[in-house]
Amino acid sequence: MDQIPYQSLPDVLRRHAAELGTRPAIKFRKQGSFVVLNYAQYYDRALMVTRGLRKLGIEPGDRVAILSENRAGWIIADMGILSAGAVTVPIYPTNTPEQVTYALTHSEARIVFVSNRSQYRKLLKYHDALPQLKLVVSFERFLGEPGLPVTTFYQLSEIDDPILDDERREIEGVIDGINPDKLATIIYTSGTTGIPKGAMLSHGNLLFDAWYTIKKAGVLGDREVLLSFLPLSHVLERTVGYYLPVLKGGLIAFAESFEKIAENMVEVKPSLIVSVPRLFEKIYSRIFESVHQLSLFKRTMFRRALSIGRRYIYARYIEHRVGLLLQAQYLLADRIIFTKLRQRFGGNLKLCCCGGAPLDKEINEFFWIIGIPIIEGYGLTETSPVICINTFQQLRFGSVGTALEQTEIGIALDGEVLVRGPQVMQEYYKDPEASREAFEDGWFKTGDIGYLENGFLFITDRKKELIITAGGKNIAPQPIENLLKRDKYISQAIVFGDRKPYLTALLVPTLERLIEFALENKINYNDVADLVVHEPVRKLYEQRVAAANESLAHYETIKKFQLLPRDFSVEAGELTPTLKLKRKVIAEAYHDKIEEMYAEH
């Protein structure tokens, strides 16, 4: 068993600054062109932040928050906080003022980094409830309000004053004192239900998880280019999209926005991206919509190529035995069709990491077929997050892979997945009762239902989200929702039926496809709310749902549905920042529509 050669996260950056020096570390767009910082510059910028924090009285163990979208300043601030021996408290930039206030007060953060005035205004709303907050540091320049002072990131860092030798020695003395057991971060769970809990993760938790994920993946080199767009406040992006490439001496390039990901992929040519299933679902839909526009001959060629590709990936990655004829057929399909699809991703993508929610098996297979392997794994905020992953050597579609080294997975009598290993959190911050409830005989209780098969873990659903019908059937809603979302006319779906006689669903149409359908069928309408109640639209969706029902057991079929005129959103509180459905919120918001589907029973 190999030993992790680092004591802390800042220790990694310090060593890389000395050993790699001029190797590119961070890439971001500023005023229209890309700026690149190498490892030595990244480290110096982080030490400047540390210097500024220490002048403000930040001591080891103090909490400092970051409330910002992804940007270079985020990871520079984080390393600066950690190098001071302090604790980073990341807050989702999509959080409401109430949620922001809760995280800041509960963690007792003394300083908060914000991206802009919009985030600052969230602090102003409940300023009186934040007496411990002494200063706001902004990545962008704006004037603060009386009583809540603002300084800029550059002013805090004193960017024009290089780190002096004695300052460097003093800070590095602090870094030397950070051992793997020291607390690195408190991450508040985004929470599909209940009050957020602060998971306490140590330097050792995060280092272990990144180090052994790299080792298990087995294909990551020391010059990977990662395109960062998933929120850094999410533990998956934090560990796999930030600490992991820093551990490998790779380059982290920041996407300008979620809307510009496709454009940035072509510019940056990443070899690695980290995402949640929603991105892959959308790309899959768009590709198949493009195929739908092709001639019959080209559509037939595409389907033939996919059929060859599916046989090839199973032969190569599952059976580990590929015949010469199949190899030749796949190479031809790849040259004619799949290579062109990969160019949309920059042409250099080695693999994608996917977590946060289950990825539909058919979508996963499709990306492997076209030569963009998605390494699906599983974990939680409380486990830093990776517990297990699929790899090129150990792959089962539909599973979330096999465990990392030194990590044990168990299944409780009720089917709940249990885990223990060096990546599991210390406890929940200031919540001994929740901490006690989270563990049983040394095992962390994940709250997910699953099973093990030949070492591979299969997750079937969240323990609290299982639907138990009036007839006593236990049904996992997510696989049904994923099946519905594969339809080109359905953007989002949520299934109901707990203690009810049958399943129902709320469906959000794919707006572009629905508008095309309305034009083709000459439907007159005022707005989307008007369009979704038109009889031809209703009949269309009845057909689409009936087609999905054909592959389901009778008790799993959707008997009734309602069409909604808008997407579920983070802003409306219906999705978590990682785009998971908040079932309770949606059920309350659409209570009347749901009950209407059961009214005639």
Side-chain angles (χ1 to χ4, degrees):
M1 194 182 340
D2 60 335
Q3 189 73 25
I4 300 173
Y6 307 102
Q7 288 296 299
S8 68
L9 294 159
D11 185 32
V12 177
L13 185 57
R14 172 174 58 177
R15 299 259 289 272
H16 283 1
E19 295 162 11
L20 307 179
T22 58
R23 184 183 292 181
I26 306 173
K27 185 173 185 176
F28 58 98
R29 196 184 286 282
K30 186 177 182 181
Q31 296 173 342
S33 56
F34 279 111
V35 176
V36 177
L37 297 179
N38 62 37
Y39 271 90
Q41 292 167 325
Y42 176 20
Y43 182 53
D44 277 358
R45 294 282 184 93
L47 293 190
M48 289 173 180
V49 172
T50 306
R51 176 178 64 187
L53 292 173
R54 284 167 61 82
K55 284 182 179 180
L56 291 168
I58 293 298
E59 300 281 347
D62 286 347
R63 275 77 62 206
V64 179
I66 304 177
L67 172 61
S68 169
E69 300 78 13
N70 281 24
R71 59 199 301 151
W74 205 110
I75 66 173
I76 294 169
D78 177 59
M79 278 296 183
I81 295 164
L82 297 176
S83 297
V87 178
T88 300
V89 181
I91 304 175
Y92 284 102
T94 51
N95 276 8
T96 64
E98 292 80 6
Q99 291 167 327
V100 170
T101 302
Y102 178 82
L104 291 173
T105 53
H106 191 262
S107 67
E108 301 170 90
R110 295 179 57 201
I111 292 174
V112 58
F113 289 83
V114 300
S115 52
N116 50 38
R117 185 167 179 80
S118 174
Q119 299 297 347
Y120 174 74
R121 279 200 293 265
K122 294 179 182 178
L123 308 175
L124 281 177
K125 186 167 183 182
Y126 296 103
H127 176 214
D128 292 343
L130 299 167
Q132 87 290 348
L133 191 64
K134 303 304 180 191
L135 183 68
V136 178
V137 181
S138 177
F139 295 130
E140 295 174 15
R141 187 182 296 275
F142 60 84
L143 290 174
E145 300 288 335
L148 189 57
V150 179
T151 190
T152 68
F153 192 52
Y154 285 111
Q155 287 169 326
L156 174 86
S157 303
E158 297 176 287
I159 202 84
D160 294 326
D161 296 331
I163 290 284
L164 302 175
D165 288 344
D166 61 337
E167 291 174 327
R168 187 180 298 270
R169 280 193 296 272
E170 198 173 307
I171 294 169
E172 290 187 340
V174 175
I175 294 173
D176 288 338
I178 303 171
N179 63 49
D181 293 329
K182 286 284 175 71
L183 183 63
T185 189
I186 300 170
I187 304 180
Y188 285 87
T189 55
S190 53
T192 53
T193 59
I195 296 171
K197 298 188 288 286
M200 301 172 68
L201 301 177
S202 68
H203 287 263
N205 289 148
L206 295 161
L207 277 173
F208 172 90
D209 212 60
W211 181 267
Y212 283 99
T213 297
I214 291 168
K215 187 179 179 187
K216 189 168 180 66
V219 295
L220 298 173
D222 60 358
R223 289 184 181 267
E224 302 297 348
V225 177
L226 180 130
L227 183 66
S228 175
F229 52 85
L230 198 66
L232 279 159
S233 38
H234 184 238
V235 70
L236 178 61
E237 182 71 15
R238 180 96 164 275
T239 298
V240 182
Y242 160 26
Y243 295 142
L244 185 151
V246 169
L247 262 175
K248 289 297 290 181
L251 171 66
I252 302 169
F254 287 93
E256 293 172 82
S257 66
F258 200 80
E259 293 70 35
K260 290 198 171 184
I261 290 170
E263 182 185 321
N264 292 156
M265 276 188 185
V266 174
E267 294 170 325
V268 170
K269 302 187 186 313
S271 58
L272 176 65
I273 63 169
V274 180
S275 188
V276 290
R278 190 76 182 130
L279 175 72
F280 301 116
E281 290 166 359
K282 287 192 169 188
I283 294 170
Y284 176 85
S285 259
R286 284 174 191 160
I287 289 173
F288 271 86
E289 195 51 41
S290 300
V291 170
H292 183 67
Q293 310 296 328
L294 298 174
S295 66
L296 177 61
F297 173 72
K298 287 185 175 177
R299 286 204 307 271
T300 305
M301 272 185 63
F302 185 78
R303 290 198 177 93
R304 172 72 178 148
L306 285 185
S307 176
I308 291 166
R310 185 167 282 104
R311 294 203 310 274
Y312 174 79
I313 60 166
Y314 271 84
R316 180 175 177 184
Y317 297 111
I318 309 294
E319 299 158 14
H320 302 288
R321 187 175 62 252
V322 183
L324 290 175
L325 176 60
L326 182 57
Q327 174 112 16
Q329 288 175 322
Y330 180 78
L331 288 173
L332 181 62
D334 187 63
R335 191 164 72 242
I336 295 171
I337 295 172
F338 303 147
T339 302
K340 293 174 186 172
L341 291 176
R342 288 198 296 276
Q343 294 309 312
R344 298 187 188 188
F345 300 84
N348 195 37
L349 206 51
K350 184 183 286 186
L351 59 88
C352 306
C353 295
C354 183
L359 177 65
D360 183 77
K361 181 183 174 187
E362 188 169 310
I363 294 175
N364 196 359
E365 288 176 349
F366 170 77
F367 279 93
W368 278 81
I369 288 166
I370 67 172
I372 298 177
I374 296 177
I375 298 294
E376 191 176 11
Y378 168 70
L380 302 92
T381 302
E382 293 89 341
T383 60
S384 303
V386 184
I387 293 170
C388 53
I389 58 169
N390 278 286
T391 68
F392 289 87
Q393 291 73 38
Q394 294 178 298
L395 173 66
R396 291 293 181 276
F397 293 109
S399 84
V400 288
T402 55
L404 299 189
E405 283 186 31
Q406 303 175 51
T407 303
E408 296 176 84
I409 298 173
I411 306 294
L413 292 175
D414 63 357
E416 183 173 8
V417 178
L418 310 173
V419 63
R420 59 185 176 194
Q423 69 273 61
V424 177
M425 69 166 186
Q426 299 173 339
E427 59 184 326
Y428 290 118
Y429 187 59
K430 295 197 300 192
D431 199 339
E433 186 179 342
S435 299
R436 281 193 300 273
E437 288 175 1
F439 291 89
E440 191 168 311
D441 298 328
W443 292 89
F444 175 72
K445 300 188 289 186
T446 65
D448 287 306
I449 300 294
Y451 64 92
L452 286 164
E453 189 175 277
N454 299 321
F456 287 87
L457 178 63
F458 292 79
I459 301 294
T460 54
D461 217 319
R462 287 292 293 168
K463 189 173 180 179
K464 292 178 181 175
E465 291 176 2
L466 276 177
I467 291 171
I468 303 175
T469 66
K473 295 289 186 182
N474 283 32
I475 301 170
Q478 285 181 338
I480 302 170
E481 290 159 358
N482 285 337
L483 174 65
L484 290 165
K485 286 189 294 182
R486 287 214 302 265
D487 190 288
K488 69 175 183 177
Y489 285 103
I490 299 172
S491 171
Q492 291 175 312
I494 181 167
V495 172
F496 298 94
D498 197 47
R499 291 174 290 178
K500 299 288 188 182
Y502 50 81
L503 299 189
T504 60
L506 295 177
L507 305 178
V508 177
T510 304
L511 196 54
E512 300 87 345
R513 303 294 79 79
L514 182 56
I515 290 171
E516 282 175 9
F517 176 81
L519 288 171
E520 289 167 7
N521 290 271
K522 298 182 174 55
I523 300 172
N524 293 318
Y525 61 96
N526 298 319
D527 53 26
V528 180
D530 181 34
L531 179 57
V532 296
V533 297
H534 268 265
E535 189 59 28
V537 171
R538 184 79 197 173
K539 284 187 176 174
L540 167 70
Y541 280 87
E542 284 173 358
Q543 292 165 5
R544 311 310 291 195
V545 170
N549 280 341
E550 287 176 9
S551 58
L552 296 169
H554 176 70
Y555 60 86
E556 294 176 318
T557 55
I558 303 300
K559 300 295 190 292
K560 295 184 181 182
F561 64 88
Q562 292 267 18
L563 293 176
L564 304 181
R566 67 164 184 85
D567 273 359
F568 301 125
S569 70
V570 175
E571 293 72 24
E574 298 154 338
L575 301 177
T576 70
T578 53
L579 308 183
K580 285 184 274 196
L581 296 168
K582 287 190 174 181
R583 296 179 186 274
K584 187 178 177 184
V585 172
I586 295 169
E588 288 172 358
Y590 294 98
H591 175 267
D592 291 348
K593 283 186 177 293
I594 296 164
E595 288 305 310
E596 191 181 313
M597 292 187 281
Y598 294 102
E600 296 170 13
H601 180 74

